[in-house]
Amino acid sequence: MKISFTSEPISYLLGCGLAALAAQHWREGAVQNRVHEFDPDWEGYPAMERANMFRVVAVRADGKLVGYAGVRIFRSLLSRKQTCSFIQEYYIDPLYRPFTGAGIKLFRFIETQLRAMNVSRETIGEPPGLYLGKFFRHLGFVPRERLWSKDLA
């Protein structure tokens, strides 16, 4: 099995099954699924892509879409010379996680893409209950602050 990674427009990925894969991710335990319904703003993503503020990385196994990562890109308001990113969501179908190294390869690919865009800070959240600290440390991430959120609706 050949695992590959590419940045692809979300409009193309929707035709490749991205919506179904995102729904699978949601059912598997996305943090927000207890408070909000699954209702992605699929129409909003292309405008963010055109503004170079969002990028989707596709994970494919022998050409089939089996995972993705959504990355927000933004300029720091505290330092005009710093461009930041936040890996907003990341998911690989459980059937393709073991023994493929897909997770590590996905984050390495993202880092290469971000460096080419002159992004100087990469941030990622760790969903509760997943305990990915060791994995993220292996990739070179360091804990800088803890993210807290509160649903107001």
Side-chain angles (χ1 to χ4, degrees), residues 11-71:
S11 56
Y12 176 73
L13 289 169
L14 286 169
C16 297
L18 178 62
L21 197 58
Q24 177 179 322
H25 179 196
W26 186 266
R27 286 189 303 274
E28 191 175 317
V31 175
Q32 308 91 321
N33 67 6
R34 290 182 207 96
V35 178
H36 303 286
E37 65 183 78
F38 178 70
D39 185 23
D41 181 8
W42 298 121
E43 302 79 21
Y45 286 101
M48 291 182 67
E49 285 177 329
R50 284 190 299 277
N52 210 23
M53 295 172 61
F54 191 79
R55 179 169 285 206
V56 179
V57 174
V59 181
R60 295 184 177 275
D62 296 328
K64 177 186 174 191
L65 184 67
V66 299
Y68 61 90
V71 184

Side-chain angles (χ1 to χ4, degrees), residues 45-96:
Y45 286 101
M48 291 182 67
E49 285 177 329
R50 284 190 299 277
N52 210 23
M53 295 172 61
F54 191 79
R55 179 169 285 206
V56 179
V57 174
V59 181
R60 295 184 177 275
D62 296 328
K64 177 186 174 191
L65 184 67
V66 299
Y68 61 90
V71 184
R72 287 184 179 248
I73 300 151
F74 55 96
R75 296 231 352 243
S76 170
L77 296 176
L78 298 176
S79 176
R80 294 173 193 250
K81 295 180 181 177
Q82 185 178 47
T83 302
C84 304
S85 69
F86 181 74
I87 302 173
Q88 182 173 321
E89 60 266 333
Y90 46 95
Y91 183 73
I92 298 173
D93 185 306
L95 297 174
Y96 298 91

